[in-house]
Amino acid sequence: MRRVWAHCLVVLIYFLCAAGHLLCGAEPVEDEVKYLPGLNKQPSFRHFSGYLDLPTGKHLHYWFVESQSQPSVDPLVLWLNGGPGCSSLDGLLTEHGPFLIQDDGATLKYNDFSWNKIANVLYLESPAWVGFSYSDNKDYRTNDTEVSLNNYLALKQFLKLFPKFQPNPVFLTGESYAGIYIPTLAQRVMEDPTINLQGIAVGNGMSSYELNDNSLIYFAYYHGLFGSSLWAGLQAFCCDQGKCNFHNTKNRNCSELVAEVMDIVYNSGLNMYNLYAPCAGGVKEKLDEHLVVRDLGNLFIHLPQTHLLRQKLLGLLPLGLHSGPGLGPGLGSGLRLDPPCTNSTALTLYLNNVYVRQALHIREQALPWVICSADVNFNYKREYMDVKEQYLALLSALKYRVLVYNGDVDMACNFMGDEWFVESLNQPVQVLRRPWFYTTDNGKQVGGFVKEFENLSFLTVKGSGHMVPTDKPAAAFAVFSRFIRKEPF
């Protein structure tokens, strides 16, 4: 009888903790940010910055902002930026966080369209040696499988440190190379009944190397980046019976023409992350020949010219940068790998300010902060050429909401490739492709287009590039709100 009562007491305490009626394992007070430099007024919501120490020897830095609405019941949203090798603090401080960095690199401004208006948002710097994260063995080599495992362990560790959020709905979100990170993480999380997973959302994601490459050629042609003569050559040497292979062609004539297109996309001064936006810092008189590999290595990885230039760039990096365990003089340099036509100066100045580092409880083992780490990127092994298996696993459960959204003028992960990917999943169509709308000061506006399947939606954001919340904050917030509230788009 005593055992029965003891068991009942344990169950009762668990549910009281889950309901928030008892303080069971309070959050780490030492991680709470009490004063954040750059703000005229400190926030009314709580936020925390610290480390999730994993049994694998990785120490992943997190910054967690509680919801400005009802944190005890609002969803818990994990956000990951991509790269691979880019920091999620870019998402926090330039995209959809509660405060945005200003051009002076010293001040922050509150964001009217912050996602933490309606959700608890966890920004995780992953993998180790991205941003302020680090590992015990100083080995930068990693891969998709290891990153997926460590992200899962980090989420588990977070919920252990913040047990009051254990019962909250969980959504996994991210952009760019998080198109790989998020579904591979979700496949692990969906097998864990202690995590209340409700869905995933991927913005401008890398879902399939083949479809992304093949679609980019069409995107470039139909956006007027090259003319009919080059297009005719591509059709002649890369296509057969209406099916084109620009991705991994064995035809030398085809690969040379594809290289011409890539030279236009990368080296003509266009902003590959937003075709219609200016290039930050202007177009150089003499363009860098290595821009072709500065897409962080995700486009046309089979193109011979890309491979050769990437190897050449590797040879120009400090000795030891790509040698594995961190014993060489170059490894641990924190070498920046800035995406082309972007300007991370303000963000870099702010996060390397000694007072900001103190406020965020950054450990001395962390390197100086950079937006994207060359150390990580050049030591990263890409294992998944597409994530169709992961999406189908999620969809087969018939209980998770899945959103793939794209800014429609991005060339890094273009909308057409992701639309082809979603179509390839062969899910039952519920709503045919149509405009979706949101309200602005100028009234109701077209936000883009959406096609809805069973538990799956593909959505475009009109006039936005790779970083949708930066380019179209109001539209992005409308999409995010409807997604986590499970409302129709």
Side-chain angles (χ1 to χ4, degrees), residues 47-61:
H47 61 126
F48 300 78
S49 171
Y51 285 85
L52 301 173
D53 300 312
L54 309 184
T56 56
K58 311 297 183 184
H59 306 274
L60 301 187
H61 174 249

PDB file of all heavy atoms in Angstrom, residues 47-61:
ATOM      1  N   HIS A  47      14.967  36.627 -19.947  1.00  0.00           N
ATOM      2  CA  HIS A  47      15.765  35.923 -20.941  1.00  0.00           C
ATOM      3  C   HIS A  47      17.053  35.421 -20.303  1.00  0.00           C
ATOM      4  O   HIS A  47      17.540  35.969 -19.309  1.00  0.00           O
ATOM      5  CB  HIS A  47      16.022  36.769 -22.186  1.00  0.00           C
ATOM      6  CG  HIS A  47      16.771  38.047 -21.976  1.00  0.00           C
ATOM      7  ND1 HIS A  47      17.912  38.358 -22.668  1.00  0.00           N
ATOM      8  CD2 HIS A  47      16.539  39.111 -21.167  1.00  0.00           C
ATOM      9  CE1 HIS A  47      18.354  39.559 -22.302  1.00  0.00           C
ATOM     10  NE2 HIS A  47      17.539  40.032 -21.399  1.00  0.00           N
ATOM     11  N   PHE A  48      17.576  34.332 -20.882  1.00  0.00           N
ATOM     12  CA  PHE A  48      18.689  33.602 -20.305  1.00  0.00           C
ATOM     13  C   PHE A  48      19.737  33.329 -21.376  1.00  0.00           C
ATOM     14  O   PHE A  48      19.403  33.094 -22.540  1.00  0.00           O
ATOM     15  CB  PHE A  48      18.213  32.265 -19.728  1.00  0.00           C
ATOM     16  CG  PHE A  48      17.173  32.385 -18.648  1.00  0.00           C
ATOM     17  CD1 PHE A  48      15.845  32.640 -18.962  1.00  0.00           C
ATOM     18  CD2 PHE A  48      17.523  32.234 -17.314  1.00  0.00           C
ATOM     19  CE1 PHE A  48      14.876  32.743 -17.978  1.00  0.00           C
ATOM     20  CE2 PHE A  48      16.563  32.332 -16.316  1.00  0.00           C
ATOM     21  CZ  PHE A  48      15.245  32.592 -16.643  1.00  0.00           C
ATOM     22  N   SER A  49      20.990  33.344 -20.982  1.00  0.00           N
ATOM     23  CA  SER A  49      22.078  33.010 -21.888  1.00  0.00           C
ATOM     24  C   SER A  49      23.110  32.199 -21.109  1.00  0.00           C
ATOM     25  O   SER A  49      23.515  32.576 -20.010  1.00  0.00           O
ATOM     26  CB  SER A  49      22.726  34.279 -22.456  1.00  0.00           C
ATOM     27  OG  SER A  49      23.913  33.970 -23.165  1.00  0.00           O
ATOM     28  N   GLY A  50      23.509  31.082 -21.681  1.00  0.00           N
ATOM     29  CA  GLY A  50      24.475  30.219 -21.008  1.00  0.00           C
ATOM     30  C   GLY A  50      24.833  29.055 -21.894  1.00  0.00           C
ATOM     31  O   GLY A  50      24.798  29.161 -23.129  1.00  0.00           O
ATOM     32  N   TYR A  51      25.166  27.942 -21.271  1.00  0.00           N
ATOM     33  CA  TYR A  51      25.651  26.781 -22.012  1.00  0.00           C
ATOM     34  C   TYR A  51      24.853  25.533 -21.690  1.00  0.00           C
ATOM     35  O   TYR A  51      24.449  25.311 -20.541  1.00  0.00           O
ATOM     36  CB  TYR A  51      27.138  26.542 -21.716  1.00  0.00           C
ATOM     37  CG  TYR A  51      28.021  27.533 -22.426  1.00  0.00           C
ATOM     38  CD1 TYR A  51      28.286  28.783 -21.863  1.00  0.00           C
ATOM     39  CD2 TYR A  51      28.550  27.251 -23.683  1.00  0.00           C
ATOM     40  CE1 TYR A  51      29.075  29.713 -22.523  1.00  0.00           C
ATOM     41  CE2 TYR A  51      29.338  28.172 -24.348  1.00  0.00           C
ATOM     42  CZ  TYR A  51      29.591  29.400 -23.773  1.00  0.00           C
ATOM     43  OH  TYR A  51      30.359  30.314 -24.441  1.00  0.00           O
ATOM     44  N   LEU A  52      24.630  24.730 -22.716  1.00  0.00           N
ATOM     45  CA  LEU A  52      24.061  23.405 -22.567  1.00  0.00           C
ATOM     46  C   LEU A  52      25.224  22.428 -22.702  1.00  0.00           C
ATOM     47  O   LEU A  52      25.781  22.247 -23.791  1.00  0.00           O
ATOM     48  CB  LEU A  52      22.994  23.162 -23.634  1.00  0.00           C
ATOM     49  CG  LEU A  52      21.839  24.168 -23.610  1.00  0.00           C
ATOM     50  CD1 LEU A  52      20.904  23.963 -24.797  1.00  0.00           C
ATOM     51  CD2 LEU A  52      21.061  24.093 -22.301  1.00  0.00           C
ATOM     52  N   ASP A  53      25.646  21.863 -21.573  1.00  0.00           N
ATOM     53  CA  ASP A  53      26.811  20.979 -21.525  1.00  0.00           C
ATOM     54  C   ASP A  53      26.373  19.552 -21.817  1.00  0.00           C
ATOM     55  O   ASP A  53      25.568  18.971 -21.081  1.00  0.00           O
ATOM     56  CB  ASP A  53      27.479  21.074 -20.150  1.00  0.00           C
ATOM     57  CG  ASP A  53      27.956  22.489 -19.840  1.00  0.00           C
ATOM     58  OD1 ASP A  53      28.607  23.089 -20.718  1.00  0.00           O
ATOM     59  OD2 ASP A  53      27.662  22.984 -18.731  1.00  0.00           O
ATOM     60  N   LEU A  54      26.912  18.983 -22.888  1.00  0.00           N
ATOM     61  CA  LEU A  54      26.447  17.691 -23.375  1.00  0.00           C
ATOM     62  C   LEU A  54      27.413  16.572 -22.978  1.00  0.00           C
ATOM     63  O   LEU A  54      28.622  16.805 -22.839  1.00  0.00           O
ATOM     64  CB  LEU A  54      26.310  17.729 -24.899  1.00  0.00           C
ATOM     65  CG  LEU A  54      25.506  18.898 -25.481  1.00  0.00           C
ATOM     66  CD1 LEU A  54      25.369  18.734 -26.992  1.00  0.00           C
ATOM     67  CD2 LEU A  54      24.144  19.019 -24.816  1.00  0.00           C
ATOM     68  N   PRO A  55      26.912  15.355 -22.840  1.00  0.00           N
ATOM     69  CA  PRO A  55      27.799  14.229 -22.504  1.00  0.00           C
ATOM     70  C   PRO A  55      28.816  13.916 -23.597  1.00  0.00           C
ATOM     71  O   PRO A  55      29.779  13.194 -23.357  1.00  0.00           O
ATOM     72  CB  PRO A  55      26.810  13.067 -22.302  1.00  0.00           C
ATOM     73  CG  PRO A  55      25.556  13.463 -23.006  1.00  0.00           C
ATOM     74  CD  PRO A  55      25.490  14.956 -22.894  1.00  0.00           C
ATOM     75  N   THR A  56      28.612  14.453 -24.791  1.00  0.00           N
ATOM     76  CA  THR A  56      29.554  14.239 -25.891  1.00  0.00           C
ATOM     77  C   THR A  56      30.758  15.174 -25.817  1.00  0.00           C
ATOM     78  O   THR A  56      31.618  15.135 -26.698  1.00  0.00           O
ATOM     79  CB  THR A  56      28.842  14.443 -27.235  1.00  0.00           C
ATOM     80  OG1 THR A  56      28.239  15.750 -27.262  1.00  0.00           O
ATOM     81  CG2 THR A  56      27.760  13.403 -27.449  1.00  0.00           C
ATOM     82  N   GLY A  57      30.811  16.009 -24.785  1.00  0.00           N
ATOM     83  CA  GLY A  57      31.919  16.949 -24.658  1.00  0.00           C
ATOM     84  C   GLY A  57      31.716  18.249 -25.403  1.00  0.00           C
ATOM     85  O   GLY A  57      32.631  19.074 -25.485  1.00  0.00           O
ATOM     86  N   LYS A  58      30.524  18.444 -25.954  1.00  0.00           N
ATOM     87  CA  LYS A  58      30.194  19.691 -26.631  1.00  0.00           C
ATOM     88  C   LYS A  58      29.526  20.629 -25.625  1.00  0.00           C
ATOM     89  O   LYS A  58      28.785  20.196 -24.746  1.00  0.00           O
ATOM     90  CB  LYS A  58      29.243  19.446 -27.802  1.00  0.00           C
ATOM     91  CG  LYS A  58      29.667  18.339 -28.746  1.00  0.00           C
ATOM     92  CD  LYS A  58      30.968  18.616 -29.458  1.00  0.00           C
ATOM     93  CE  LYS A  58      31.300  17.501 -30.444  1.00  0.00           C
ATOM     94  NZ  LYS A  58      32.612  17.693 -31.089  1.00  0.00           N
ATOM     95  N   HIS A  59      29.774  21.912 -25.805  1.00  0.00           N
ATOM     96  CA  HIS A  59      29.177  22.931 -24.938  1.00  0.00           C
ATOM     97  C   HIS A  59      28.544  23.969 -25.862  1.00  0.00           C
ATOM     98  O   HIS A  59      29.229  24.827 -26.428  1.00  0.00           O
ATOM     99  CB  HIS A  59      30.246  23.568 -24.044  1.00  0.00           C
ATOM    100  CG  HIS A  59      31.027  22.558 -23.256  1.00  0.00           C
ATOM    101  ND1 HIS A  59      30.611  22.074 -22.036  1.00  0.00           N
ATOM    102  CD2 HIS A  59      32.185  21.907 -23.551  1.00  0.00           C
ATOM    103  CE1 HIS A  59      31.482  21.189 -21.592  1.00  0.00           C
ATOM    104  NE2 HIS A  59      32.440  21.059 -22.497  1.00  0.00           N
ATOM    105  N   LEU A  60      27.231  23.839 -26.043  1.00  0.00           N
ATOM    106  CA  LEU A  60      26.521  24.676 -27.011  1.00  0.00           C
ATOM    107  C   LEU A  60      25.917  25.883 -26.305  1.00  0.00           C
ATOM    108  O   LEU A  60      25.135  25.737 -25.355  1.00  0.00           O
ATOM    109  CB  LEU A  60      25.440  23.871 -27.727  1.00  0.00           C
ATOM    110  CG  LEU A  60      25.921  22.629 -28.494  1.00  0.00           C
ATOM    111  CD1 LEU A  60      24.783  22.028 -29.304  1.00  0.00           C
ATOM    112  CD2 LEU A  60      27.110  22.956 -29.403  1.00  0.00           C
ATOM    113  N   HIS A  61      26.256  27.058 -26.813  1.00  0.00           N
ATOM    114  CA  HIS A  61      25.716  28.289 -26.240  1.00  0.00           C
ATOM    115  C   HIS A  61      24.274  28.482 -26.680  1.00  0.00           C
ATOM    116  O   HIS A  61      23.919  28.240 -27.840  1.00  0.00           O
ATOM    117  CB  HIS A  61      26.546  29.501 -26.684  1.00  0.00           C
ATOM    118  CG  HIS A  61      25.954  30.798 -26.252  1.00  0.00           C
ATOM    119  ND1 HIS A  61      25.413  31.698 -27.137  1.00  0.00           N
ATOM    120  CD2 HIS A  61      25.764  31.335 -25.011  1.00  0.00           C
ATOM    121  CE1 HIS A  61      24.947  32.744 -26.476  1.00  0.00           C
ATOM    122  NE2 HIS A  61      25.141  32.546 -25.181  1.00  0.00           N
TER     123      HIS A  61
END
